[in-house]
Structure formats: structure tokens, C-alpha cells
Amino acid sequence: MTAGGKRRSAVLAVALALATSAVSALPSFAEVKAAHRPSDLTLLDRQGVAIQTTRVDSSVRRLAWLPLGEMSPALLVAIVLSEDRRFWEHSGIDWAAAATSAWANLFNTRTRGASTLTMQLAGLIEGGLARPAAGRSVAQKLAQAVTASRLEASWKKSEILEAYLNSVPFRGEIVGIDALAQTLFAKHASGLDSQEAAIAAALVRSPNAKPAAVAERACGVLRLQHLECAGVFGLTQASLARRGGVPLGEQLAPHFARHVVDPLGPAAQKSTLDASLQRFATSTLRRQLAELSGRNVEDGAVVVLDNASGEVRAWVGSSGDLSGAAQVDGVLARRQPGSTLKPFVYELAFEKRLITPATLIDDSPAQIATVAGLYLPQDYDHAWKGFVSARTALGASLNVPAVRVSAMLGPDALYERLQSLGFALPESAGWYGASLALGSGDVTLLALTNAYRTLANGGVFAPPVLRAGGGASRPVRIADAAAVYLVTDILADNNARVRTFGLANLLQTRGFAAVKTGTSKDMRDNWCVGFTDRYTIGVWVGNASGEAMHSVSGVSGAAPVWHALASALQAGGPSKPPRTPAGVVRQSVAFDSRKEPARDEFFLAGTEHATQRATAEVAGEQRFGITSPRDGSIFAIDPDIPPLAQRITFEGERGLWVLDGKALGTAERWRWAPWPGRHRLTLVGRDRLPLQSVSFEVRGAGVKPGLAKR
């Protein structure tokens, strides 16, 4: 092509570029702002306070749109001085700078640009807000100039500067001034000082330059302002070295954010959390773990639920940098809950009218037959208390009475109740056996805390609510309100826990609170879970690795955190106890041989007794429901033994025995000649209402002789 042809082609290209720029739709400031897609989304608390920034786009680092008023004045001065000194005066094109640049480019080997901030923004808009190409043709530059003039005519200067600073690419993946400020300087753009602002301005011109070159240019920006340059080189080196993998924004709830942040949702998303409570829970847990640092413990978790709505108010998944496994979410990790399951054992026994809070239960060595052999439960202090009331047994967290009560329930009843409370135990009832009453099944802190919330709500269960506005599931009654009230009253009774915890303990608060601690085998985990009238609080302390702690129990590990949270949540006024539901009566009781002081006690209507006696038998004359056979028992008839010697004895409270719908007779014990098949045995009380029903099986000749109980 001839020289004249080349000139004509260039002219046509310029004309086409100008025409295209003139007719293309120019986005408004609002449209550019709306199209801004941050790589990191911000989770807000229920009041709109930022609590967590979560990255959802690994290809770029761009934060939410930042208003000009939230940027450092020093930054605005540095950017204008560095990139466009006559920004506030020109109308998109700085003709004086353009002429100077053209003259310099003719006679110097080093070229000099004359793009204004408006022209640079025009280039970013034309390129889809991506980093501009290394060089632009004449036609592209002219089109950019036309777009800049149109921007100046339709946008405010402040809008141009705001859009530019939110869209300009900096070093590497960083786009926008707030991402730069938080990545390089670990602060918001509003807090940048003059030296940091000068470094930011230097990176606009030379984003990938070496630290020395960036520092030299930053010093030039500072000299234009007659400011000191000392220390800029060291600051530049330190800042540029910090940029890899730095989490941005608030980091108060990283584990919770995993479950609730919608990666396709808006830049700011509301949650159910309370920022002040989240901060307090985090700092309290970390402080407690720091105090336990010499006892081989580094991890912990906290969850707080609103009783009425089920919404999560605080979710602390780990101890952060105190932990060697900070990414593990302790709220959802499965651990053995220890004694925190005992309230559900006693509630179910109260509900089935097997015992009352005044029933005397023998705390002495016990051997429980299991498939794997004999199970010998021990109390925490390895000391036996003899006969104690159910109130004392639960309040003082005695192990053997809990196992005895669980045995009365049968192998499946407790398991089914725990499953209905949302524990989702992975194994069968037979796999756990009698040890389930002492917390042998692995559960999550969230499920355990929500189960206690069920107690706080009088036996009505609903799953916890994680997402704001997600709505609560339909509540379902799981447990009898009257039986739940008896357990709640015991868990709130400081006198009931004296024998183990003493009068002065961290489970007592200025208002009502029902609470229980738990420690798993070998002190691998300890817990403290309880509720006030408005909130249920769960705390776990241990090691994510499963390593045992050194002499850390629930009352020394998790309880201090629980107590601090419960006290803080009652700062506005003491918590109030629940109202006594229908079906609960109060009566004075005395105990035989002064085993416990006389007191007023709560009973389910129809189970009250004025005198509690204990004999050498399991519970003396205090029998409630069926004690034998247990639900699920299997009996086998041996053809070599006379039938009269193979009778099965039904034992329990005095009442009417009904087998397979046929009345047998009224007694505490009834001997029955076995008949092969599956049978249903019911005990009817004095009020002609069923006290309890169990199922058992009798196998005929040919089955291995003996008696097996699963």
C-alpha cells in the first residue's frame, strides 16, 4: 500500500472510531456502580454492621463500591497530583498536557502520556472495567477522548473520581482502592496516610514495578506536596510483601459465613448474628483458652440461639490463631457430649412416670451387661453417694444413677428421643448401649444447643435458623411440657448441684438459668450448655485433633465462657423462670433415714408421695412403671426345663398388668407362663391410665436356651 493509501486508511479509522464513540450508549454513573461485582462479599449482622468478608471470586480482588466520602483526603490529593493535576479544571481532555506530551514524544526517547483521569475511566468502561492494553492506537485514543468529553458532560467530577478509584487496576489481581488499602496496608481506604496514599498513586502508573521504583515514584508525589519522604522505601517493601493471601475486611464469623453467604447474592448480605455478641463471644473464648494454655487445650467453639425464633445470634467456630486447626468448625464437628445428655434421660423417665425428682436411686457400683461385656460406670470423683434423689443425681451429675434410669427406659427409647431432638446419631441404639446415657454418641455443638433450646421452649422442637429471613420450620412437640419443667427446675437449682460443684460455682447467674456441664472420656472434650428465658448458649472446649486435655473439666473449661455470656445477656435485666405448666403439682416430701433434707418438690400429677423410702432393693417401694421386662427383651424356652421353672416375672409399680390386650391381675410382681411369639405388656395405674408399655419376644423350642437382652 502506498503512503497516501496508508494515510487515507488512518483517517478512515479515526473517523470510524469517532463516529462509533459518538453513537454508542454511554452508561450512567448509577449503571457503572450497579455493574460493579465485588470478589469479596460482606456479611452483615442483623443491624447492618459488617462482621465478615468472604471471597467468592479467585480471579480478581475487588471489594464493594466505596463512596468518595469514605476515601482518605490524602489519597484524593495524591491521585490527582500523580495522574491529572488539572482534573478539576479541564472538561475531559487536558490540551496543555497533550501538547506537552506530543512535543516531548517528538524529541525524547522516553514517551510521555497525557491521559486524564476521565480518559482513563473511559478506557476502563470501554474495556469492561478490565486492565487496559499495553498500548492504544491513535483511533482508540481519539475515541477515548470523545468518550471522556461525553462523561464530563453527563457526570459530576466527584462521580468520575469515585468511579475511577473503584475501577482502576492496581498490582496483580487487585482492583479498586479499598482492595488495595486492605491488602497492602491492612486498613480501609479512609485511613490511608500521605505516604500510603503516595504509594497507591505510584502503583497506578507502574502496577508491577519493583519496590524501589514504586518507592521512588511515591517520593516524587510526596515532594509535590512538600512532604517528608523518609521511611517510604521500607513501607513500600513491607506493603508489597504483604499482598499474597491476606483476608480482607472484618473476619468475625468465617465459619458461619460458609453456610449463609450466597456467592450470587448482593455485595452486602444480612445475617441473624449480633455483631457485639459475636465479638464478645470470640474474645471471651480466646481469653479462656489463653488461661488454659498450660493444660494442653487450644480449641473451642460457641453458639448462641434465640429461644423464640431459633436464629443464631453468635457462632464462633474456632479460637483463630490460637489453634493449629483454625479452619475446623467446632460448632459442627462431632464430639462426645458427656453428661450433657443426662437431662434428656431424666426427662424421658419423668415423662414415662418411671421416677419422680424425689425418687431415691442407688449410687453404688453397678455392672451392666452388654454385648461387648460388662459396663461398669463410675462417678466423676470415683466416690459413691448411696441412695440419692433424682434431683440430686441430675444436679450433681452422678453417672451410675443416670445409667440405672436409662436401663429402666430400655435400649431404644432414649435413642429415639435423641434422634427426634435432631442429634442424627450415626449408629444404632444397640451399638451405643447403656453408655449412651453418659454421652457416648458423637453430636455437634449446634445440635446439642438446639436440643437444650427445645427444653427452654417446654419440649417444642424446631431446627435452628441460620439465614436471615429464612423462616422457622413448623415447631413439633417432642417432649411432655410438665416433664420438661421438672428437668428445667433441677438444672436451675444450685442446691441440687452442691455435692459436686459446691455452693459457689460458675453455673449460677443473677437470674434464672438452667445449665449442665459435660466431660467426655479421657477429658478430650468438655461442654457447658444452658438457657435463660431468651437465649440458649452452648460452649465446647477441647482440641480439634482429639488429643486429651490436662485436668480440664466442663466446669473449669467451658463453664467460665458460658457464665460470661449468660451474664452479658442478662445485663438488661435478670432472666425469669418459666411458668409452671398444667400437670405439675408441688408437695412437701421427707426422706427415710434423713438421706436428704425435707423439702418442697415438684411432681407430675398422680406420682406425688409424701415420704421417700429406700431399701436394699433398687428403689425400695418407689416403683414407677415397668422395671422388668425391658423393652426389646428376648426370652427363649428350653424344652429340657420344666415349664413351671421357666415363668417370666413382670415387675414394676403396683398396678394392673395387661398382656396383649388381656388383663392378668393387679400386683407389683406377676409371674407368667411364657408363650412363644411377640407380646405387648402394659401396666395400668390407679387412675386407670397406662403408665408404660413394653414389647418382648418369647422364642420356642429349638432356640438356644437362656435369656438374652439386647
Side-chain angles (χ1 to χ4, degrees):
M1 183 180 292
T2 63
K6 291 181 179 179
R7 285 194 295 271
R8 284 193 297 272
S9 297
V11 171
L12 287 173
V14 170
L16 180 61
L18 292 175
T20 303
S21 177
V23 299
S24 61
L26 182 69
S28 66
F29 173 75
E31 289 172 335
V32 170
K33 184 177 179 179
H36 183 86
R37 299 299 302 172
S39 64
D40 296 64
L41 303 183
T42 301
L43 188 69
L44 309 176
D45 86 334
R46 56 201 302 262
Q47 303 297 336
V49 178
I51 55 175
Q52 179 67 35
T53 301
T54 300
R55 188 168 186 178
V56 295
D57 184 352
S58 59
S59 64
V60 69
R61 206 64 191 264
R62 181 194 297 117
L63 298 187
W65 190 275
L66 189 69
L68 197 66
E70 295 182 22
M71 300 180 193
S72 161
L75 170 71
L76 304 182
V77 171
I79 289 291
V80 170
L81 280 176
S82 175
E83 294 298 306
D84 189 358
R85 299 185 195 180
R86 284 181 283 274
F87 170 72
W88 301 104
E89 302 166 12
H90 63 65
S91 58
I93 304 172
D94 187 348
W95 295 109
T100 303
S101 175
W103 183 264
N105 293 338
L106 282 174
F107 296 100
N108 292 282
T109 55
R110 294 181 63 186
T111 60
R112 180 174 178 180
S115 294
T116 63
L117 288 176
T118 313
M119 291 173 66
Q120 292 182 49
L121 177 61
L124 291 171
I125 293 175
E126 290 170 355
L129 301 180
R131 181 179 293 282
R136 293 180 183 272
S137 66
V138 174
Q140 288 174 325
K141 286 184 176 294
L142 288 173
Q144 182 179 313
V146 173
T147 302
S149 298
R150 295 175 62 199
L151 281 173
E152 290 278 354
S154 57
W155 288 27
K156 299 176 182 177
K157 283 283 190 180
S158 59
E159 292 174 339
I160 293 171
L161 187 56
E162 180 176 317
Y164 175 80
L165 287 170
N166 277 284
S167 308
V168 63
F170 286 96
R171 196 174 186 88
E173 63 180 0
I174 303 171
V175 173
I177 188 60
D178 206 26
L180 179 78
Q182 294 195 38
T183 302
L184 265 60
F185 306 112
K187 59 174 65 175
H188 292 286
S190 59
L192 295 179
D193 60 28
S194 57
Q195 290 196 349
E196 293 163 341
I199 294 172
L203 287 171
V204 172
R205 184 68 58 89
S206 307
N208 296 313
K210 293 182 178 180
V214 174
E216 182 180 352
R217 180 164 178 80
C219 282
V221 176
L222 289 168
R223 291 190 193 101
L224 290 173
Q225 305 173 68
H226 306 290
L227 296 175
E228 182 60 48
C229 192
V232 169
F233 182 77
L235 176 61
T236 303
Q237 276 195 318
S239 301
L240 296 183
R242 192 186 294 127
R243 68 187 185 91
V246 177
L248 303 184
E250 295 289 350
Q251 296 293 315
L252 278 176
H255 302 88
F256 182 72
R258 294 177 193 169
H259 310 290
V260 300
V261 169
D262 180 1
L264 301 178
Q269 302 178 19
K270 244 184 179 181
S271 73
T272 63
L273 297 187
D274 182 294
S276 60
L277 182 62
Q278 180 76 9
R279 286 193 184 91
F280 183 76
T282 301
S283 62
T284 302
L285 176 65
R286 287 173 58 84
R287 183 168 57 252
Q288 173 64 4
L289 291 177
E291 293 180 1
L292 296 173
S293 60
R295 300 189 185 184
N296 194 42
V297 52
E298 63 176 24
D299 292 298
V302 177
V303 66
V304 179
L305 302 177
D306 183 282
N307 291 342
S309 67
E311 292 183 340
V312 179
R313 293 288 179 255
W315 180 306
V316 182
S318 81
S319 58
D321 57 8
L322 297 179
S323 170
Q327 296 302 313
V328 176
D329 190 347
V331 174
L332 295 181
R334 285 188 170 272
R335 307 266 178 193
Q336 289 192 349
S339 295
T340 57
L341 293 190
K342 289 177 182 174
F344 306 105
V345 176
Y346 284 90
E347 186 283 323
L348 190 56
F350 293 155
E351 185 177 311
K352 291 181 175 294
R353 295 171 176 253
L354 298 176
I355 61 172
T356 74
T359 299
L360 292 171
I361 306 171
D362 191 11
D363 179 37
S364 62
Q367 297 183 359
I368 310 296
T370 69
V371 175
L374 291 178
Y375 175 50
L376 285 71
Q378 300 281 328
D379 284 333
Y380 178 74
D381 58 2
H382 302 288
W384 307 110
K385 311 298 187 300
F387 280 95
V388 295
S389 70
R391 174 175 290 273
T392 297
L394 175 56
S397 196
L398 303 181
N399 288 341
V400 175
V403 174
R404 292 189 190 277
V405 173
S406 176
M408 296 170 66
L409 292 171
D412 296 321
L414 176 61
Y415 176 85
E416 292 172 357
R417 173 55 57 87
L418 295 179
Q419 294 294 69
S420 68
L421 287 166
F423 284 103
L425 296 170
E427 306 295 342
S428 65
W431 191 90
Y432 295 111
S435 65
L436 183 58
L438 302 184
S440 62
D442 292 341
V443 305
T444 68
L445 178 61
L446 181 62
L448 181 62
T449 305
N450 194 60
Y452 272 72
R453 174 178 160 251
T454 302
L455 298 179
N457 289 329
V460 176
F461 170 84
V465 177
L466 273 63
R467 294 183 181 274
S473 301
R474 186 186 183 95
V476 179
R477 176 161 292 285
I478 298 296
D480 177 68
V484 168
Y485 180 84
L486 300 186
V487 167
T488 299
D489 184 69
I490 294 172
L491 295 180
D493 183 2
N494 198 48
N495 291 324
R497 57 177 84 103
V498 166
R499 298 188 74 160
T500 297
F501 301 97
L503 278 173
N505 58 74
L506 289 172
L507 305 182
Q508 190 174 18
T509 65
R510 62 188 293 246
F512 161 80
V515 56
K516 185 75 185 70
T517 61
T519 303
S520 67
K521 183 180 179 181
D522 297 329
M523 292 190 177
R524 297 182 185 278
D525 313 276
N526 65 70
W527 314 70
C528 189
V529 189
F531 53 90
T532 64
D533 58 353
R534 290 191 59 193
Y535 301 100
T536 302
I537 308 162
V539 181
W540 166 78
V541 167
N543 291 302
S545 64
E547 190 175 353
M549 298 172 285
H550 300 162
S551 300
V552 180
S553 65
V555 73
S556 63
V561 180
W562 183 92
H563 182 270
L565 286 165
S567 299
L569 290 170
Q570 295 185 62
S575 172
K576 298 179 181 179
R579 294 181 179 178
T580 306
V584 174
V585 297
R586 186 169 185 169
Q587 179 176 308
S588 297
V589 294
F591 294 87
D592 183 47
S593 302
R594 297 182 179 179
K595 289 181 171 58
E596 292 190 14
R599 63 171 181 260
D600 285 350
E601 186 58 271
F602 288 109
F603 297 88
L604 298 186
T607 65
E608 61 269 26
H609 289 266
T611 303
Q612 307 299 311
R613 299 179 59 193
T615 68
E617 299 177 7
V618 173
E621 298 178 5
Q622 293 303 118
R623 297 176 180 270
F624 294 98
I626 301 171
T627 58
S628 181
R630 297 175 182 174
D631 192 46
S633 297
I634 300 175
F635 299 87
I637 298 174
D638 188 342
D640 296 329
I641 299 177
L644 291 177
Q646 297 191 68
R647 290 182 179 272
I648 297 174
T649 301
F650 303 151
E651 296 181 275
E653 180 182 357
R654 183 175 181 81
L656 175 63
W657 296 97
V658 179
L659 183 67
D660 299 329
K662 181 179 179 180
L664 301 179
T666 300
E668 289 182 3
R669 297 178 179 83
W670 189 272
R671 290 177 59 78
W672 173 71
W675 187 258
R678 297 181 181 275
H679 302 279
R680 186 71 174 174
L681 178 66
T682 301
L683 181 60
V684 179
R686 291 171 295 177
D687 54 3
R688 299 184 180 181
L689 295 176
L691 290 176
Q692 187 182 5
S693 294
V694 298
S695 296
F696 65 93
E697 180 182 355
V698 177
R699 296 178 180 175
V703 179
K704 184 179 179 180
L707 170 64
K709 291 187 178 181
R710 58 183 184 186

